């Protein structure tokens, strides 16, 4: 019967043989073999049920398949710490799992048999690839979709002509390594990006601006956005957005009455509050669906902006 020491010596020998980058031929000569490719320790597409897959990656398997095909050509072939290429589907799963759970990168690396550096690189390249799809997945409604949006908003609490609800939310970040980093400190005392979004009645995002420091006021972000210019030039006078009291009242942007004095103004405020609440709920669902945004994001500024937009693209796909 083999002793513990003998078994341990045998395992060491096997490890040494596996580390040899080659094969031994009939004459005992070590020849070079093909480089190993990182594979899934467990294939979630087959090992997980649909519910388990959505619980971990926030989208359905079919949507994940389609997404991987869309961004495959935009993903370089990063190598792990041993120089092994990571296939596109595994890069995508790692990045989305990181955004969905908000787990430490080292923990995710252990789950997928890659290093923490590889997880960070996957998060960077995949988030940018998904963010590049924003023009396709994050866009205002038009045609029949626009009419359906107006009807659905009206069904909430009787507010007519609403095409979207607008608001901003703060995404906490580390103090950025840029000049004048103090401008990223918001009024609540932490460093953040102030992210503006417009959403529809189904909590789908129609527009996003994710580049302004946390100290910038919501109203300034809106009036310096392309959205504002487009609305001022092209929006039908019968249609409008809903915003909170932080925005200035405009023909195309309705805000609540600050001090209602009669029943009509109180009824308007009540309808306005219930209808505009959709954007607050959308932010809440986004941060719960992608826990990475609910914590302090620790990537550099450019990657953080890409992650925010990518999360909104994935949110719309999930919706």
């Amino acid at each position: 019967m083999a002793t513990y020491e003998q078994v341990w010596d045998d395992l060491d020998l096997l490890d040494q043989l596996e580390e040899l980058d080659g094969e031994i031929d009939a004459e005992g000569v070590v020849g070079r073999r093909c480089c190993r490719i990182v594979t899934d320790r467990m294939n979630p597409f087959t090992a997980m049920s649909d519910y388990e897959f959505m619980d971990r990656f926030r989208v359905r398997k079919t949507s994940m398949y389609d997404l991987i095909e869309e961004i495959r050509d935009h993903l370089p072939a990063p190598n792990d710490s041993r120089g092994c290429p990571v296939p596109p589907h595994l890069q995508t799963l790692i990045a989305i799992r990181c955004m969905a759970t908000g787990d430490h990168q080292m923990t995710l690396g252990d789950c997928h048999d890659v290093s923490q550096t590889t997880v960070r690189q996957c998060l960077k390249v995949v988030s940018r690839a998904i963010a590049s799809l924003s023009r396709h997945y994050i866009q205002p409604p038009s045609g029949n979709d626009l009419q359906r949006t107006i009807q659905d908003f009206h069904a909430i609490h009787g507010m007519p002509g609403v095409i979207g609800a607008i608001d901003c939310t703060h995404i906490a970040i580390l103090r950025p390594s840029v000049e004048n980093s103090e401008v990223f400190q918001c009024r609540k005392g932490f460093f953040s990006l102030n992210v503006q979004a417009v959403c529809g009645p189904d909590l789908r995002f129609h527009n996003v601006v994710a580049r302004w420091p946390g100290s910038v006021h919501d109203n300034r972000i809106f009036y310096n956005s392309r959205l504002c210019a487009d609305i001022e030039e092209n929006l039908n006078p019968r249609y409008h957005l809903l915003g909170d009291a932080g925005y200035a009242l405009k023909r195309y942007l309705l805000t609540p009455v600050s001090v209602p004095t009669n029943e009509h103004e109180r009824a308007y405020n009540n309808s306005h509050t219930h209808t505009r609440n959709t954007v607050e709920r959308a932010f809440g669902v986004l941060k719960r669906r992608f826990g990475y945004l609910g914590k302090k994001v620790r990537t550099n500024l450019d990657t953080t902006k890409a992650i925010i937009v990518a999360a909104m693209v994935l949110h719309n796909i999930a919706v």
Side-chain angles (χ1 to χ4, degrees):
M1 182 175 180
T3 64
Y4 175 83
E5 289 78 8
Q6 291 173 332
V7 173
W8 189 259
D9 291 341
D10 291 341
L11 290 175
D12 282 344
L13 179 59
L14 287 174
D15 290 341
Q16 293 173 12
L17 290 175
E18 289 177 356
E19 289 175 358
L20 289 175
D21 187 19
E23 298 177 348
I24 301 178
D25 59 16
E27 298 179 356
V29 178
V30 177
R32 186 170 183 80
R33 67 180 181 184
C34 296
C35 181
R36 183 179 75 93
I37 297 178
V38 176
T39 57
D40 291 317
R41 179 174 290 183
M42 177 188 69
N43 185 354
F45 288 106
T46 57
M48 295 180 183
S49 66
D50 291 338
Y51 176 82
E52 291 172 335
F53 190 90
M54 285 192 63
D55 191 42
R56 289 160 176 80
F57 298 99
R58 303 301 191 259
V59 295
R60 299 180 184 275
K61 292 181 182 180
T62 53
S63 298
M64 184 68 78
Y65 279 128
D66 295 339
L67 179 65
I68 292 172
E69 288 302 315
E70 282 192 85
I71 66 175
R72 179 184 297 273
D73 295 336
H74 300 283
L75 299 180
N79 297 330
D80 70 351
S81 58
R82 291 166 288 183
C84 303
V86 183
H89 78 276
L90 185 54
Q91 294 182 50
T92 306
L93 290 175
I94 290 172
I96 295 180
R97 182 75 176 270
C98 185
M99 287 190 284
T101 63
D103 288 341
H104 292 290
Q105 295 178 0
M106 186 176 296
T107 303
L108 289 173
D110 293 341
C111 291
H112 294 279
D113 196 22
V114 296
S115 65
Q116 181 268 334
T117 303
T118 302
V119 174
R120 185 183 66 221
Q121 183 68 9
C122 290
L123 181 61
K124 175 182 176 180
V125 298
V126 172
S127 61
R128 292 183 178 183
I130 297 176
S132 68
L133 305 177
S134 61
R135 291 187 177 182
H136 177 66
Y137 287 100
I138 304 177
Q139 55 184 349
S142 59
N144 292 333
D145 290 337
L146 178 61
Q147 296 304 316
R148 188 180 303 111
T149 297
I150 294 172
Q151 294 172 5
D152 290 345
F153 269 123
H154 183 269
I156 295 175
H157 213 275
M159 181 72 73
V162 179
I163 62 171
I166 186 172
D167 200 5
C168 291
T169 186
H170 288 273
I171 303 296
I173 61 175
L174 292 178
R175 180 168 184 163
S177 300
V178 297
E179 189 176 357
N180 298 326
S181 60
E182 292 79 10
V183 299
F184 287 88
Q185 190 168 9
C186 68
R187 66 182 185 277
K188 296 181 180 180
F190 60 88
F191 291 92
S192 70
L193 285 172
N194 197 5
V195 179
Q196 173 186 279
V198 177
C199 85
D202 57 356
L203 309 188
R204 188 193 306 265
F205 290 108
H206 296 165
N207 183 270
V208 58
V209 179
R211 62 185 179 87
W212 288 87
S215 64
V216 180
H217 193 272
D218 299 0
N219 199 52
R220 179 184 173 191
I221 295 175
F222 174 67
Y223 286 109
N224 283 276
S225 66
R226 183 180 301 174
L227 171 67
C228 180
D230 290 342
I231 288 177
E232 287 181 342
E233 293 180 5
N234 305 316
L235 187 64
N236 189 313
R238 296 179 300 169
Y239 303 151
H240 41 261
L241 297 174
L242 297 184
D244 61 17
Y247 294 96
L249 177 64
K250 295 288 185 179
R251 172 190 58 80
Y252 49 82
L253 178 57
L254 301 184
T255 61
V257 178
S258 57
V259 183
T261 58
N262 56 56
E263 189 62 29
H264 294 291
E265 292 179 348
R266 284 189 287 269
Y268 165 81
N269 275 5
N270 189 36
S271 179
H272 185 285
T273 299
H274 282 83
T275 309
R276 195 197 66 83
N277 180 256
T278 53
V279 69
E280 303 284 358
R281 291 162 49 211
F283 284 140
V285 172
L286 175 71
K287 292 182 180 181
R288 287 296 299 273
R289 177 170 277 150
F290 297 101
Y292 200 79
L293 301 182
K295 301 179 180 180
K296 184 177 291 186
V297 182
R298 299 179 177 275
T299 53
N300 63 55
L301 270 180
D302 290 337
T303 302
T304 299
K305 296 172 185 177
I307 290 173
I308 294 170
V309 178
M312 290 187 170
V313 170
L314 293 170
H315 169 87
N316 281 3
I317 292 174
V319 171

